[in-house]
């Protein structure tokens, strides 16, 4: 009967013009008969030994072994399932499948059970996306350096980072199948993953008997039996969208010092696994850049170590476990600053910002036109907030003022910029980027930090994302090879003071006792460590589907040729720089340059402790028959440091005053510490209803009480709070029980005595 209904439904669908797919042989209930068809089924034939049994909508097949490419199909390929996002299957897993998708690839599975559902729709048996659950008790194996069993397709020569990501409900709780097991969320490794939301899962890191890392203090963390909690999300911009092998950000549930990368023992929850999918220079772009940054003595440079990554049982290839850019935990050396900080005593730091090449939302980025003396292309100056991530109005004001001042000074080619920027770290940062010909340097992923307090400056550091290293010519400066522009650096290279600092730093770094010596040896050691993993990575991604409009993952299986290309580039660039007058010959014996002693620019008053000497206060009493209910105070005039039109309470109509009591009368007050102290002839006006009614114009005298009728107290008068017990005396020293208006009195409140005018 079901078969009859199926045929009727197919005819109905055709009559209605609905999409249907013709099927091969159907069983007695009208369901398609499905087979596993692949490399081990006699030329992909539909064979009875590989036919699925069916119970309701559920299809099941058990095999002793499964290896090579395969699909699930009916007998004439009219209905077939292939991969949605995961091609290689190396262990038990639930994989998303799509009709007519690419082939699956079983990697030496044994004792295999495959289960999936086909839900009959109203107009026939056209397939919809489904999940195929594959259970295997064993898979292909190899031997690691210490004899460890590798069950995931990895080379076995590096640490293994296992990450399992699971489906969660609206409350963030794991979803369980009918057997009580957590269900993989394979969208985390979908080639088209576009969002940057966190997934919830578990991890363990197996050092895998890598003796060279054990000698550096590395230890395994967690295990398959006792995994540790984490969250994982995609990171990056171009590298996230263009490649199926994506970089990820990790947030561990508990702080760890993974692979003992922090030599001082600092632990952190925040790490990254960088894919190197676009690095066709043997993954050496970041490796060499970071290595040089550490050697030249930048304040902090991230460390990274190669690992092989397995997510949800799928071997994802060679990655680089990397310290994320963070405040504290032995990383960027600044005081931690909270989001939305309004405390003026804290607002000067610590900050980490990025000179970005992407537009971000206004609430997370400051933009301004780049200035400079160079006639090269100038892009927008984009200052993206990194730490903290959310700025208060006061934080935004401070950072914007700082970068506006720097930008203006670079535009004027002034050495006053070294009062804001640490010239030593800038010179070191620039030398590293120049040596590696990093064309995107000073354009994107360029980080700066500033610590809290007086005497602090902005530092160029840490290095990050050297993804366009070795792209510039070996006989040109990198900023002459970049069509996109490089923020500030072409103009800075026209500054004599900066060039002198670059030259003395270069000669020290490239000298016989300088930090550059040994870099080639480090490159050789790295290439030896990752050579086999690079081959496994290339095999994993060869022919794999790419995102729409994306690119193939770089093939670095020939690490020897990649190493040679990088070393040739380094040697050629260093030799060319040595011939330039503003760098100089290498190989001499030079001492490390003394640090610059230029005094830092003082902090603005709004970022300092309040100074009582600079506080301006004013009080207003409306002594008319129809007093105002709200009052604004507006001050204008020059400041003592020459700033004209110094509107210390803001533009007209000024700032709102607060209600208070003065000498028993209802009054208003305003207290402020202006950035520029007003001159003696500054004026103050009181107004209401947004300036539509206003008082006379008075000379501003801090502490004065002003009356709407036009009078004011003397400069030596002091406002007395009525809530305190006060005694009044006339000018002859006689106590007065009830002072009257228009009088001059001596008032004593506690141990304070002052003169007031009523």
């Amino acid at each position: 009967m079901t078969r009859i209904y199926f045929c009727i439904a197919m005819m109905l669908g055709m009559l209605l013009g609905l999409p249907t797919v013709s099927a091969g042989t159907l069983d007695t209930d009208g369901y398609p008969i499905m087979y596993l068809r692949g490399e081990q089924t006699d030329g992909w034939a539909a064979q009875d030994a590989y036919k699925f049994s069916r119970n309701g909508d559920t299809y099941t097949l058990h095999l002793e072994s499964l290896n090579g490419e395969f699909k699930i199909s009916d007998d004439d390929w009219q209905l077939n399932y292939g991969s949605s996002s995961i091609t290689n299957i190396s262990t038990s897993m639930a994989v998303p499948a799509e009709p007519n998708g690419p082939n699956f690839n079983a990697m030496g599975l044994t004792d295999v059970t495959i289960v999936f559902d086909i839900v009959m729709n109203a107009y026939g048996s056209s397939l919809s996306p489904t999940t195929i659950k594959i259970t295997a008790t064993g898979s292909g194996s190899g031997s690691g350096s210490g004899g460890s069993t590798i069950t995931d397709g990895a080379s076995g020569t590096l640490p293994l980072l296992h990450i399992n990501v699971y489906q969660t409900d609206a409350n963030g709780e794991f979803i369980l199948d009918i057997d009580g097991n957590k269900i993989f969320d394979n969208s985390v490794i979908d080639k088209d993953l576009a969002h940057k939301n966190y997934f919830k899962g578990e991890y363990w890191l197996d050092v895998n008997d890598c003796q060279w890392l054990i000698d550096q203090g590395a230890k395994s963390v967690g295990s398959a039996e006792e995994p540790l909690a984490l969250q994982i999300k995609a990171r990056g911009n171009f590298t996230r969208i263009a490649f199926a092998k994506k970089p990820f950000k990790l947030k561990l549930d508990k702080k760890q010092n993974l692979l003992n990368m922090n030599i001082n023992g600092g632990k952190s929850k925040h790490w990254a696994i960088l894919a190197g999918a676009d690095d066709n220079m043997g993954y050496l772009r970041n490796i060499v850049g970071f290595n040089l940054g550490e050697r030249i003595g930048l304040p902090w440079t991230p460390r990274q170590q190669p690992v092989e990554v397995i997510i949800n049982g799928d071997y994802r290839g060679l990655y680089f476990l990397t310290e994320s850019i963070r405040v504290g935990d032995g990383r960027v050396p600044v005081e931690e600053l909270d989001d939305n900080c309004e405390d003026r005593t804290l607002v000067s730091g610590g900050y980490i910002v990025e000179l970005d090449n992407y537009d971000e939302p206004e609430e997370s980025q400051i933009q301004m036109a780049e200035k400079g003396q160079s006639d090269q292309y100038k892009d927008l100056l984009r200052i993206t907030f990194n730490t903290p991530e959310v700025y208060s109005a006061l934080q935004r004001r401070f950072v914007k003022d700082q970068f506006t001042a720097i930008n203006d000074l670079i535009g004027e080619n002034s050495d006053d910029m070294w009062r804001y920027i640490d010239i030593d770290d800038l010179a070191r940062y620039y030398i590293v980027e120049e040596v590696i010909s990093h064309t995107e340097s000073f354009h994107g992923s360029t980080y700066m930090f500033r610590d809290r307090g007086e005497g602090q400056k902005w530092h160029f550091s840490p290095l990050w994302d050297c993804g366009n290293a070795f792209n510039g010519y070996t006989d040109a400066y990198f900023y002459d090879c970049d069509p996109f522009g490089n923020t500030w650096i072409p103009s800075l290279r026209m500054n004599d003071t900066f060039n002198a600092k670059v030259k003395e730093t270069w000669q020290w770094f490239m000298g016989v006792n300088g930090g550059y010596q040994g870099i080639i040896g480090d490159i050789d050691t790295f290439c030896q460590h990752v050579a086999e993993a690079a081959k496994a990575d290339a095999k994993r991604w060869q022919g794999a589907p790419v995102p729409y409009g994306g690119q193939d993952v770089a093939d670095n299986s020939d690490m020897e040729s990649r190493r040679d290309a990088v070393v040739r580039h380094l040697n050629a660039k260093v030799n060319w720089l040595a011939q330039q007058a503003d760098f100089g010959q290498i190989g001499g014996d030079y001492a490390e340059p003394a640090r610059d002693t230029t005094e830092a620019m003082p902090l603005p008053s709004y970022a300092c402790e309040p100074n009582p000497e600079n506080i301006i206060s004013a009080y207003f009493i409306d002594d008319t028959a129809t007093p105002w209910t709200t009052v604004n105070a507006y001050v204008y005039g020059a400041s003592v440091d020459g700033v004209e039109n110094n509107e210390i309470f803001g533009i007209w109509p000024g700032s709102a005053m607060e209600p208070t009591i003065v000498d028993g009368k209802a009054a208003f007050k305003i207290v402020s510490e202006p950035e520029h102290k007003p001159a003696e002839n500054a004026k103050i006006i009181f107004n209401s209803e947004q300036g539509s009614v206003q008082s006379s114009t008075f000379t501003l005298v801090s502490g004065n009480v002003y009356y709407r009728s036009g009078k004011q107290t003397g400069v030596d008068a002091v406002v007395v709070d009525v809530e305190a017990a006060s005694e009044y005396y006339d000018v002859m020293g006689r106590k007065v029980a009830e002072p009257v208006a228009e009088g001059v009195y001596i008032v004593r409140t506690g141990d304070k005595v002052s003169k007031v005018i009523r």
Side-chain angles (χ1 to χ4, degrees), residues 400-699:
K400 184 176 182 179
D401 286 354
Q402 292 277 299
F403 276 85
T404 298
I406 296 169
N407 198 34
D408 288 344
L409 291 168
I410 289 174
E412 298 170 2
N413 197 25
S414 168
D415 278 350
D416 279 347
M417 73 183 78
W418 312 127
R419 302 188 70 186
Y420 289 96
I421 296 175
D422 185 291
I423 189 175
D424 296 286
D425 287 339
L426 172 57
R428 295 172 191 229
Y429 187 97
Y430 165 67
I431 288 171
V432 170
E433 300 285 31
E434 191 63 85
V435 167
I436 64 175
S437 305
H438 187 204
T439 54
E440 199 175 19
S441 176
F442 294 87
H443 176 61
S445 297
T446 298
Y447 287 87
M448 300 176 68
F449 72 81
R450 187 193 192 282
D451 205 356
R452 181 179 305 152
E454 289 281 6
Q456 299 295 333
K457 300 180 183 180
W458 289 92
H459 299 257
F460 275 82
S461 185
L463 286 162
W464 187 260
D465 189 7
C466 303
N468 280 284
F470 310 121
N471 280 353
Y473 298 124
T474 57
D475 58 352
Y477 298 117
F478 73 78
Y479 49 84
D480 290 329
C481 306
D482 182 6
F484 304 109
N486 306 88
T487 302
W488 291 339
I489 193 64
S491 294
L492 287 168
R493 290 284 283 121
M494 300 170 69
N495 181 279
D496 291 339
T497 304
F498 179 62
N499 286 337
K501 177 62 69 172
V502 167
K503 185 169 186 175
E504 64 173 344
T505 304
W506 161 264
Q507 291 180 325
W508 156 71
F509 184 55
M510 302 301 296
V512 292
N513 297 312
Y516 186 81
Q517 307 304 320
I519 183 64
I520 305 303
D522 285 353
I523 291 173
D524 290 343
T525 299
F526 167 80
C527 292
Q528 293 168 9
H529 288 156
V530 305
E532 293 304 314
K535 294 177 184 177
D537 185 277
K539 182 178 180 180
R540 164 64 179 85
W541 294 105
Q542 184 178 13
V546 301
Y548 178 76
Q551 302 179 14
D552 290 326
V553 173
D555 181 348
N556 287 297
S557 54
D558 185 358
M559 283 296 296
E560 183 176 358
S561 66
R562 300 294 189 267
R563 175 265 179 204
D564 291 346
V566 168
V567 171
R568 281 196 303 270
H569 191 111
L570 281 174
N571 289 339
K573 185 60 180 286
V574 165
N575 289 332
W576 181 80
L577 288 171
Q579 298 170 30
Q580 309 311 306
D582 49 357
F583 277 75
Q585 292 297 311
I586 62 178
D589 188 4
Y590 294 90
E592 181 175 359
R595 303 292 294 196
D596 180 55
T597 58
T598 301
E599 184 178 356
M601 189 68 69
L603 289 173
S605 60
Y606 65 79
C608 301
E609 292 278 358
N611 184 348
E613 295 182 0
N614 294 332
I615 292 176
I616 301 297
S617 62
Y619 299 82
F620 178 79
I621 294 177
D622 191 336
D623 54 355
T624 67
T626 56
W628 295 333
T629 57
T630 61
V631 180
N632 299 319
Y634 172 71
V635 170
Y636 68 96
S639 67
V640 294
D641 55 5
V643 176
E644 298 297 327
N645 196 29
N646 180 28
E647 299 171 311
I648 69 171
F649 294 154
I651 62 174
W652 180 263
S655 298
M657 302 183 75
E658 298 179 7
T660 188
I661 301 294
V662 174
D663 194 18
K665 294 183 176 64
F668 294 86
K669 69 176 180 180
I670 191 165
V671 180
S672 174
E673 183 183 357
E675 185 172 351
H676 303 280
K677 191 173 182 178
E680 292 184 0
N681 61 348
K683 306 300 182 184
I684 185 167
I685 302 173
F686 303 94
N687 63 88
S688 187
E689 299 177 16
Q690 294 300 303
S692 60
V693 289
Q694 62 188 64
S695 70
S696 302
T697 300
F698 299 95
T699 297

Side-chain angles (χ1 to χ4, degrees), residues 54-71:
R54 183 183 63 80
N55 182 9
D57 293 332
T58 302
Y59 288 75
T60 303
L61 173 65
H62 180 77
L63 300 171
E64 291 184 2
S65 63
L66 179 60
N67 192 48
E69 295 188 8
F70 71 92
K71 296 185 82 169

